[in-house]
Amino acid sequence: MDVKVEDIKEEKSGNTVNFTDSSTNSGTAILNNHYNIPDYILENQQEYITLLKQQIEELKKENKKLKSGK
C-alpha cells in the first residue's frame, strides 16, 4: 500500500486532562488522546484557513464600502 510504518504507528505521549467536578467536589479523569494526522491534511487545512482569511478581509472591505454609501 506504499505506506511507511512510521506514518501509521506513532509513539507519542497523550494529553492528560485532570478535572474536578465542582458540583460534587469529587472526580478526577485522565484522558489520553493520540492523534496521527498526515501532513498533507494539515497543509490542506492551513491553505483553506488562509483562503478563508483572505475572503474575510475582502468581505470586510466590501462591507465598509457599502456602509459608506460609495
Side-chain angles (χ1 to χ4, degrees):
M1 295 188 101
D2 239 3
V3 178
K4 296 177 185 176
V5 175
E6 295 83 21
D7 292 341
I8 299 171
K9 182 181 177 188
E10 189 173 347
E11 295 183 23
K12 288 187 177 179
S13 61
N15 297 327
T16 302
V17 177
N18 295 316
F19 69 90
T20 301
D21 185 351
S22 60
S23 63
T24 62
N25 272 342
S26 65
T28 300
I30 297 175
L31 306 173
N32 292 314
N33 299 316
H34 301 278
Y35 302 103
N36 186 15
I37 302 172
D39 287 340
Y40 71 91
I41 291 177
L42 296 175
E43 290 170 4
N44 180 275
Q45 291 297 303
Q46 189 58 51
E47 289 174 7
Y48 188 59
I49 290 169
T50 301
L51 174 67
L52 291 174
K53 285 181 179 180
Q54 290 171 348
Q55 290 176 343
I56 288 169
E57 288 304 315
E58 290 172 13
L59 290 171
K60 283 181 180 179
K61 289 176 186 175
E62 183 178 351
N63 194 21
K64 186 175 180 179
K65 182 179 176 183
L66 291 170
K67 283 183 176 182
S68 70
K70 294 182 180 180

